[in-house]
Amino acid sequence: MSAFKNLPVAPIAAKRPVTDTRHGIARSDDYAWMRDDNWQAMFKDPSILDPAIRTHLEAENFYQQAAMADTEALQKTLFAEMRGRIKEDDSSVPSPDGAWLYGVRYVTGGEQPKYFRIPRGGGDEQITLDGDREAHGKPYFRLAGTGHSPDHQAMIWGYDDKGSEFFTLKVRDLATGEDSSDLIENTGGGAAWAADCKGFFYTAVDDNHRPSKIFYHRLATPQSEDVLVHEETDTGFFMGVSGSRLDDFIMIGINDHETSECWVMPADDPQAKPQLVAARKTGIEYSLSEGGDVFFILTNAGGAKDFKIMQTPVGSPGPENWSEVVPHKSGRLILSVSAYRNHLVWMERENGLPRIVIRDRLSGEEHAIAFDEEAYSLGFQGSMEYDTDTVRFSYSSMTTPSELYDYNMTTRERTLLKRDEVPSGHNPGDYVTRRVMAPADDGELVPVTLLYRQDTKLDGTAPCLLYGYGSYGISIPASFNTNCLSLVDRGFVYAIAHIRGGKEKGFSWYEEGKRGKKINTFTDFIAAARYLDRESFTSHDRIVAQGGSAGGMLMGAVANMAPEAFGAIIAAVPFVDVLNTMLDDTLPLTPPEWPEWGNPVASVEDYRTIAAYSPYDNVSAQAYPPVLAVAGLTDPRVTYWEPAKWVARLRQMSTSGNPVLFKINMAAGHAGASGRFQRLEEIAYEYAFALKVVGKV
């Protein structure tokens, strides 16, 4: 408590108990009133938020501002440091496609990207979209990206100006730079051009934020005349649409977190009926990559837990025609596959490290691109073009800034295109990256990536920021992060716990951290914290735990299970009201989430499993460390009332006297502030909290 002095009285939320009974089990929720009855409409128009709820949220913001007032100068210093590590006038290396090279860059002081293209044979740069101009005057603005037409005459671009992830699409004439009359609202943000460039396909999002319909839009016609191409009636599935590298197929992908289904149709016939590739089967995943006269299929079918690669003729793609190309190998997880005229390329991970493997499609000869550091990250960008021998990839580590390479798949020549600059200076030799293994309660070894300065004393006195996620099979890469250097340069050990629920150690690492085995995610993180304490990398009361979204749920769970193991908790957009959310199938993401967490509506076993760890439901009278929760009002993924309720209950139940702070951005959603520097202000705030609680202010 010594870090926080002279605080005003914290907001005390009114209790208005609501009882819910499922499977004969009754629960009472004192703070259910914080959910606005009109939440769907509010996401599109935040001004209609219930005044009582707005008053409470504004009181929370006033309280956290008072609690953090003595860090304002520090926040500005941190912001300046982080901004100083960014090359403000940075530009991507343009990617070739046909007669043009396409890229994106920023200008000094600019918050949003500028998209550009240059004639491939040389000539003047053309700005195709100026994000700063489009964002002018808007408190929130997020671009969905751009997609140029196959004939390079037009471009689809999308934006969200509320943070609610309802994207509007527009069409721009690339010769004049003017937008047409085409305006498509309430979309998922992506689109795929028809081959004749006279229209495009897009995913519509309904009032509950579910992408359930694919439409075809013909240019220069109103949205009301758009043609329904495909509809998904199962509310448990997401749906998206994309084009192929050869611009000859439109691909519709339907999936939840464990099952997928693909449909294809010719890109030159918008009236064609989509063709099913393989009907969905629970637990079977597959995806397509076009390879000329075949589709390559990445799938876990036939017991291939860590995935294999198949191929099938484009004219008859059904599973009866699938043949094996790259067999399954236990422990080697194939992450993605891309096909080019002469080569097949896939990204895989084994023993926690990624590599890119290239196969000659004619000879079958394979070779890998790999690196020697103890922990590193690879990113495969591939190529916009199909008929090419050159693909692009990036490499970085916790100490090495990102490097971009072109790679000739035939000659195996590697060409460095760009090495990210750190304008304020960076010497990799000043830092140490390590990968250590923390023993879990059941004997599993949890990988933990560490970054610290060479001169940091590892005698238990160093503070530590311990980051974790552990859901959806998402692996956290050991990549370069300029922001965390502001902590590391102040003596912190920066640590990433690669806990179960991700795929760092293969697909089974994911399976062992979901549904009925979700508890492993939390105990792994606690084990990592205790290992770092035991090995004197830090001490338990100097560990600041950090996670966001599903990682915010992790923060809530470990705070309940082992509050003594942490000096503080930072939970960004935290998914903490898990049971209530999974019981409410009207919420945007609930049915698609059931494969990940379980369905407590249908299953009493799933109900009891979730109830046993749901952070909000398990807050109890115990000594919690200082807690900071951060959220966005218009977030459709983790609704604002989840952290608001959690904070209210923590404040009521905690016996430690430590503050519980809640910062809510009233003009943003799940991703936080939209500009590249505005986002740095939020990170500076969180880092200032971390520094404050360990006495570094």
Side-chain angles (χ1 to χ4, degrees):
M1 184 63 183
S2 60
F4 295 89
K5 298 177 180 178
N6 302 316
L7 294 182
V9 176
I12 303 299
K15 292 184 178 182
R16 303 172 190 168
V18 174
T19 300
D20 179 75
T21 302
R22 309 289 178 105
H23 308 293
I25 305 168
R27 290 179 308 118
S28 181
D29 187 349
D30 290 334
Y31 305 112
W33 62 269
M34 292 187 185
R35 168 179 161 162
D36 195 331
D37 292 337
N38 203 24
W39 60 268
Q40 290 110 322
M42 189 277 295
F43 280 171
K44 296 180 180 179
D45 182 7
S47 68
I48 67 173
L49 178 67
D50 183 304
I53 299 172
R54 182 178 295 277
T55 297
H56 177 74
L57 297 179
E58 289 173 346
E60 289 283 10
N61 271 338
F62 175 81
Y63 179 66
Q64 58 85 9
Q65 287 168 359
M68 293 290 288
D70 62 341
T71 69
E72 290 181 2
L74 174 61
Q75 290 178 50
K76 291 178 181 178
T77 299
L78 293 168
F79 173 79
E81 287 177 6
M82 290 186 282
R83 183 165 181 165
R85 298 189 193 102
I86 295 175
K87 190 176 187 298
E88 293 205 22
D89 58 348
D90 200 11
S91 177
S92 70
V93 178
S95 297
D97 188 21
W100 295 89
L101 299 166
Y102 288 86
V104 60
R105 63 179 173 84
Y106 288 88
V107 299
T108 300
E111 292 278 1
Q112 299 287 342
K114 295 183 188 295
Y115 291 86
F116 68 88
R117 67 177 185 175
I118 305 170
R120 196 165 183 169
D124 295 335
E125 175 187 276
Q126 176 190 356
I127 299 295
T128 58
L129 182 70
D130 184 337
D132 287 316
R133 185 178 70 179
E134 302 298 340
H136 181 71
K138 298 180 174 68
Y140 181 92
F141 186 82
R142 176 185 169 193
L143 284 167
T146 66
H148 59 268
S149 58
D151 63 6
H152 303 274
Q153 298 301 306
M155 178 182 76
I156 303 167
W157 66 282
Y159 67 90
D160 165 24
D161 57 7
K162 295 180 178 62
S164 56
E165 299 182 40
F166 287 94
F167 288 91
T168 298
L169 299 180
K170 291 187 175 183
V171 178
R172 177 160 297 183
D173 185 315
L174 290 178
T176 66
E178 298 296 324
D179 289 330
S180 70
S181 60
D182 299 270
L183 187 70
I184 311 299
E185 296 182 308
N186 297 329
T187 80
W193 283 98
D196 62 6
C197 306
K198 294 180 180 179
F200 58 85
F201 302 83
Y202 67 91
T203 308
V205 180
D206 65 20
D207 287 342
N208 283 352
H209 211 273
R210 292 185 180 127
S212 58
K213 295 179 180 180
I214 303 294
F215 284 94
Y216 171 72
H217 172 76
R218 187 170 180 83
L219 298 182
T221 64
Q223 184 176 3
S224 60
E225 295 181 7
D226 290 352
V227 177
L228 178 65
V229 174
H230 195 74
E231 181 175 6
E232 174 55 53
T233 57
D234 189 330
T235 58
F237 283 79
F238 301 97
M239 184 163 60
V241 63
S242 61
S244 63
R245 192 171 277 110
L246 282 168
D247 297 315
D248 54 356
F249 282 100
I250 298 297
M251 301 180 180
I252 298 172
I254 303 172
N255 67 280
D256 61 13
H257 293 297
E258 64 180 13
T259 304
S260 54
E261 183 176 272
C262 297
W263 299 70
V264 296
M265 59 185 293
D268 60 359
D269 185 4
Q271 308 304 317
K273 183 178 179 180
Q275 179 183 6
L276 175 64
V277 176
R280 70 190 68 170
K281 294 182 180 178
T282 300
I284 302 300
E285 299 179 63
Y286 72 98
S287 59
L288 304 182
S289 179
E290 188 195 15
D293 59 351
V294 299
F295 289 124
F296 289 98
I297 302 169
L298 179 63
T299 182
N300 65 349
K305 180 180 291 188
D306 288 318
F307 288 78
K308 61 185 176 182
I309 300 173
M310 313 283 280
Q311 71 177 30
T312 191
V314 297
S316 51
E320 67 276 6
N321 296 317
W322 293 10
S323 60
E324 187 173 271
V325 178
V326 180
H328 173 255
K329 177 184 174 183
S330 182
R332 178 201 63 183
L333 179 64
I334 302 178
L335 302 167
S336 63
V337 61
S338 297
Y340 304 91
R341 183 174 299 280
N342 299 315
H343 298 90
L344 185 67
V345 186
W346 64 90
M347 176 86 78
E348 64 182 37
R349 184 185 298 111
E350 191 169 15
N351 296 322
L353 291 177
R355 60 177 169 257
I356 297 167
V357 182
I358 296 171
R359 168 181 283 197
D360 186 293
R361 289 179 61 177
L362 183 61
S363 70
E365 183 181 2
E366 295 178 6
H367 68 279
I369 306 172
F371 293 82
D372 296 327
E373 284 196 78
E374 190 173 334
Y376 61 85
S377 174
L378 286 179
F380 184 71
Q381 297 186 11
S383 171
M384 292 184 181
E385 299 177 309
Y386 177 76
D387 191 4
T388 182
D389 288 331
T390 301
V391 290
R392 192 165 286 178
F393 72 89
S394 61
Y395 166 83
S396 74
S397 73
M398 296 287 281
T399 57
T400 306
S402 182
E403 299 171 342
L404 186 69
Y405 292 89
D406 263 354
Y407 185 80
N408 188 297
M409 296 181 285
T410 300
T411 67
R412 306 188 185 184
E413 181 182 3
R414 187 183 302 182
T415 303
L416 177 64
L417 301 175
K418 179 184 178 182
R419 180 179 288 114
D420 279 359
E421 298 179 37
V422 181
S424 60
H426 175 70
N427 179 12
D430 291 341
Y431 302 90
V432 177
T433 295
R434 291 187 60 187
R435 175 68 63 88
V436 297
M437 294 291 182
D441 293 347
D442 60 0
E444 284 282 4
L445 295 177
V446 180
V448 183
T449 302
L450 304 176
L451 174 69
Y452 52 87
R453 286 189 64 90
Q454 290 275 11
D455 56 3
T456 297
K457 293 182 179 180
L458 302 180
D459 58 2
T461 61
C464 172
L465 188 136
L466 178 60
Y467 176 85
Y469 189 75
S471 290
Y472 305 116
I474 294 173
S475 300
I476 306 302
S479 55
F480 190 66
N481 175 359
T482 59
N483 296 330
C484 71
L485 296 177
S486 285
L487 292 179
V488 173
D489 286 345
R490 288 173 171 80
F492 267 71
V493 173
Y494 184 84
I496 302 171
H498 303 285
I499 52 185
R500 276 174 279 190
K503 292 179 183 172
E504 283 89 343
K505 295 178 71 173
F507 195 84
S508 62
W509 200 244
Y510 170 40
E511 289 183 313
E512 292 296 312
K514 65 182 291 192
R515 297 195 68 155
K517 298 180 179 180
K518 191 63 198 172
I519 192 71
N520 288 332
T521 301
F522 315 136
T523 55
D524 281 0
F525 191 83
I526 295 167
R530 289 179 170 152
Y531 173 86
L532 296 176
D533 173 88
R534 187 168 60 251
E535 297 297 316
S536 297
F537 287 103
T538 185
S539 296
H540 68 93
D541 57 348
R542 299 183 68 71
I543 297 176
V544 181
Q546 183 190 44
S549 195
M553 176 197 64
L554 168 69
M555 295 299 101
V558 301
N560 289 333
M561 295 170 64
E564 76 290 345
F566 306 98
I569 301 286
I570 299 174
V573 289
F575 177 35
V576 284
D577 194 12
V578 185
L579 186 55
N580 278 324
T581 295
M582 289 298 101
L583 285 168
D584 187 350
D585 62 7
T586 69
L587 292 174
L589 299 181
T590 291
E593 295 288 289
W594 285 334
E596 180 76 14
W597 315 106
N599 182 350
V601 177
S603 166
V604 64
E605 181 180 356
D606 288 350
Y607 181 100
R608 293 185 186 279
T609 297
I610 297 172
Y613 69 74
S614 176
Y616 177 62
D617 294 280
N618 287 280
V619 173
S620 63
Q622 58 179 328
Y624 286 91
V627 174
L628 169 63
V630 180
L633 179 63
T634 54
D635 185 351
R637 298 174 184 263
V638 177
T639 51
Y640 73 86
W641 57 83
E642 291 203 30
K645 291 165 56 178
W646 178 57
V647 164
R649 182 168 282 182
L650 278 173
R651 196 173 285 143
Q652 171 203 357
M653 299 296 292
S654 178
T655 62
S656 66
N658 287 319
V660 181
L661 309 183
F662 182 32
K663 180 181 182 183
I664 180 163
N665 190 328
M666 302 297 279
H670 195 69
S674 55
R676 59 173 177 160
F677 300 128
Q678 292 172 336
R679 177 62 185 142
L680 292 182
E681 291 177 354
E682 295 184 347
I683 297 170
Y685 175 91
E686 294 178 18
Y687 282 6
F689 175 84
L691 288 160
K692 181 178 174 70
V693 295
V694 299
K696 290 278 189 174
V697 174

